[in-house]
Amino acid sequence: MDCNRALELDPKFAKALYRRACALEKMGLKSSAVEDLNRCLALAPNAAASALKEKLAGKRNADAIHVACVEKGDELRSDAEFVEIGIDVPQSSTEDIKKSEPPADDKNTIGSEIDEFQFRVPKTHREFLLDYRELQRFPPEKFVSYFLAIPTSVYSSLFGELLEADVIGRLLRGFASLLESNGVEAKEVSTCLLSLSDLPRFQLLSMFFGDDEKKDLVIICQFLPHSDSVAIRKRYGVEESSEE
């Protein structure tokens, strides 16, 4: 499981603990799932993990776990013997490398691409994902301009439960940068962030915000009206002491 590897690297990775608990529950390993949920809740209390733990309360592991085994059919097997193949690797000369280098003018390519990128308001989540992949090549501020063009009234139908934490993280980075340079209206930022927090999956996503996201939120809240700042801090899980 990828979660096992993630937890080897970071035993306090709450997101991996929750996902592994979900997988264990599906496999019938309910007591093991509860152990992961207890660790997850100790690190980052959240409604999703609490609900799953309550669901598993008092339940035992399955008596047997059935794992489907897929065998390769004989018709797919080859009777040919392995053959050793020698490969000559050509050595590139310094002259060849110089020839392959892009012209100096290409250094400004990214800037021109940003100017030429055509905005569109996505009508489906698939369209949004295609645009998001394209915009990842550009600074977060470009993504903010794109995202603010999407009416908040369509957030629910456009994202539903498909919104990912990295999208919000990139948005926060862009907001923080633009607010510091007076590149965006504070009220626009408040409206966007509060609307995102109304999405059904947001509560789960917010538990995975890292230090970078929280630092950006602290910066953002400094520029917002007090009432909006208080509401966003509460919904995004940012304590007042984070500014210190």
Side-chain angles (χ1 to χ4, degrees):
M1 296 171 65
D2 290 340
C3 292
N4 290 338
R5 178 57 180 158
L7 289 167
E8 287 178 9
L9 299 173
D10 182 3
K12 295 184 178 181
F13 190 9
K15 182 177 182 179
L17 285 167
Y18 175 75
R19 288 188 172 178
R20 187 170 71 175
C22 292
L24 291 170
E25 188 266 336
K26 296 292 185 184
M27 295 170 62
L29 299 176
K30 297 178 174 57
S31 61
S32 298
V34 171
E35 290 179 8
D36 277 354
L37 290 170
N38 286 335
R39 290 174 59 192
C40 175
L41 289 168
L43 293 168
N46 66 93
S50 296
L52 182 56
K53 180 182 176 182
E54 184 177 347
K55 173 185 174 183
L56 298 177
K59 294 187 177 181
R60 299 187 308 165
N61 286 339
D63 294 330
I65 300 174
H66 300 284
V67 180
C69 180
V70 179
E71 289 286 346
K72 182 185 291 186
D74 291 337
E75 69 278 4
L76 298 179
R77 300 179 185 273
S78 173
D79 295 328
E81 296 182 358
F82 288 107
V83 178
E84 183 176 344
I85 301 175
I87 300 176
D88 294 327
V89 180
Q91 299 295 322
S92 299
S93 66
T94 305
E95 184 177 352
D96 292 334
I97 294 174
K98 288 182 179 180
K99 288 180 180 179
S100 65
E101 290 180 352
D105 292 342
D106 284 358
K107 294 180 180 179
N108 298 321
T109 300
I110 293 296
S112 61
E113 286 181 351
I114 291 177
D115 293 335
E116 294 174 2
F117 186 84
Q118 297 297 316
F119 287 124
R120 64 173 178 178
V121 177
K123 296 180 180 179
T124 65
H125 188 67
R126 175 177 170 76
E127 288 183 0
F128 171 78
L129 289 179
L130 291 173
D131 289 345
Y132 181 62
R133 292 194 190 101
E134 180 73 13
L135 284 162
Q136 282 182 310
R137 300 188 296 121
F138 305 134
E141 295 83 355
K142 188 70 172 177
F143 179 57
V144 167
S145 299
Y146 167 84
F147 202 91
L148 288 178
I150 303 173
T152 57
S153 59
V154 304
Y155 281 4
S156 180
S157 59
L158 184 61
F159 301 115
E161 297 187 3
L162 301 175
L163 191 64
E164 293 293 339
D166 63 309
V167 172
I168 298 179
R170 192 164 184 79
L171 199 59
L172 294 175
R173 180 83 289 274
F175 278 150
S177 175
L178 288 171
L179 284 168
E180 288 183 313
S181 61
N182 295 317
V184 67
E185 294 292 332
K187 195 59 183 176
E188 281 188 291
V189 176
S190 297
T191 301
C192 176
L193 294 181
L194 290 171
S195 297
L196 285 174
S197 68
D198 288 331
L199 293 177
R201 196 162 180 253
F202 178 81
Q203 189 173 19
L204 176 61
L205 293 178
S206 64
M207 67 174 281
F208 301 126
F209 290 159
D211 291 339
D212 290 340
E213 287 80 11
K214 291 183 178 180
K215 287 178 182 177
D216 287 333
L217 279 163
V218 168
I219 294 173
I220 290 168
C221 288
Q222 293 173 354
F223 294 89
L224 305 183
H226 179 69
S227 59
D228 290 344
S229 175
V230 171
I232 288 171
R233 283 178 179 277
K234 182 178 180 180
R235 296 190 189 189
Y236 283 73
V238 179
E239 302 293 337
E240 290 288 344
S241 59
S242 297
E243 289 184 345
E244 299 176 359

